[in-house]
Amino acid sequence: SQTIHQWPATLVQPVGSPLSLECTVEGTSNPNLYWYRQAAGRGLQLLFYSVGIGQISSEVPQNLSASRPQDRQFILSSKKLLLSDSGFYLCAWSVGGTAQETQYFGPGTRLLVL
Amino acid sequence: AQSVSQHNHHVILSEAASLELGCNYSYGGTVNLFWYVQYPGQHLQLLLKYFSGDPLVKGIKGFEAEFIKSKFSFNLRKPSVQWSDTAEYFCAASAPGTYKYIFGTGTRLKVLA
């Protein structure tokens, strides 16, 4: 069966420090991968999605970047964190060619920038 | 711009009460619609989805949703809620041929035993 892992589960970082959040998927090949941020009262905001290795689409201009170095690995990064980067970050995957498919979500990473 | 609206942010019900959570979308053309649920301490998971066909969609755990195209709505319903339905519910939409999903802000449901 397919599983999705995210780490770390919780992270407290100072303003200006770098960030690297990792997401890996097991049990499927060539998934579509997504990064979302969930902020209180704002729902899930799509940040990035990827349909293949090295293919990244950015939905929201911001202080973050994403990379997909391997088929089932998706990384969210920042060179210098801002206070506004605090939030709950969710990784998700789906298979299939379009946005008709169910997305499967990971457990999330809670990031607090101080 | 494409958007999904959930107007009820917090809902409190007693067990056995009926539930209806509103979801309205703003999309030009054909749309795929989803309801996801996040139970306390668990991953976000799919409740039900609509692509085409019968506008009344049945999902897991006794939930159903009705797609009303004229009202741009996809409301979630359950005839009789249980304490275990306490969770946050998200409506989402996507356009066929794209990879992008848009989520609403969510509705926190608390069911009192």
Side-chain angles (χ1 to χ4, degrees):
Chain A
S1 64
Q2 302 91 351
T3 55
I4 179 169
H5 303 280
Q6 281 187 249
W7 64 89
T10 305
L11 191 60
V12 180
Q13 291 284 97
V15 169
S17 63
L19 173 74
S20 180
L21 303 182
E22 190 164 339
C23 170
T24 58
V25 180
E26 296 176 358
T28 188
S29 296
N30 196 29
N32 303 320
L33 296 171
Y34 304 83
W35 277 113
Y36 289 89
R37 177 167 55 206
Q38 185 177 7
R42 299 188 63 184
L44 274 72
Q45 181 184 36
L46 179 63
L47 302 176
F48 302 93
Y49 68 88
S50 171
V51 300
I53 296 173
Q55 301 178 59
I56 309 295
S57 295
S58 174
E59 287 299 309
V60 181
Q62 60 209 319
N63 185 41
L64 302 169
S65 62
S67 61
R68 185 171 176 173
Q70 300 180 43
D71 181 44
R72 290 169 288 178
Q73 184 184 30
F74 205 23
I75 297 172
L76 184 69
S77 304
S78 173
K79 292 182 179 178
K80 287 186 178 181
L81 282 169
L82 304 172
L83 287 174
S84 57
D85 292 324
S86 293
F88 190 55
Y89 290 83
L90 286 168
C91 181
W93 68 271
S94 68
V95 291
T98 68
Q100 278 192 325
E101 303 304 323
T102 300
Q103 290 189 78
Y104 298 90
F105 287 83
T109 294
R110 192 162 301 280
L111 172 67
L112 179 61
V113 182
L114 300 174
Chain B
Q2 298 164 336
S3 66
V4 174
S5 301
Q6 292 180 247
H7 303 294
N8 312 105
H9 299 298
H10 291 89
V11 174
I12 301 175
L13 294 173
S14 298
E15 274 195 316
S18 63
L19 170 71
E20 182 160 3
L21 301 182
C23 173
N24 289 94
Y25 64 91
S26 174
Y27 264 75
T30 306
V31 65
N32 305 314
L33 295 160
F34 308 80
W35 274 99
Y36 283 83
V37 61
Q38 187 167 29
Y39 297 104
Q42 296 188 26
H43 300 196
L44 203 62
Q45 60 185 282
L46 182 72
L47 263 184
L48 47 80
K49 58 186 177 183
Y50 171 80
F51 299 147
S52 62
D54 188 344
L56 186 61
V57 180
K58 294 195 183 296
I60 60 171
K61 302 186 180 186
F63 286 91
E64 65 180 28
E66 185 174 13
F67 170 57
I68 302 179
K69 189 174 182 179
S70 61
K71 294 184 178 181
F72 299 93
S73 70
F74 189 56
N75 293 354
L76 182 71
R77 301 194 294 243
K78 186 171 184 178
S80 176
V81 294
Q82 301 172 315
W83 177 79
S84 58
D85 293 324
T86 294
E88 189 161 17
Y89 294 80
F90 292 91
C91 183
S94 67
T98 72
Y99 294 94
K100 181 177 176 179
Y101 300 78
I102 294 179
F103 281 79
T105 52
T107 298
R108 287 186 184 270
L109 171 66
K110 185 176 178 66
V111 180
L112 304 175

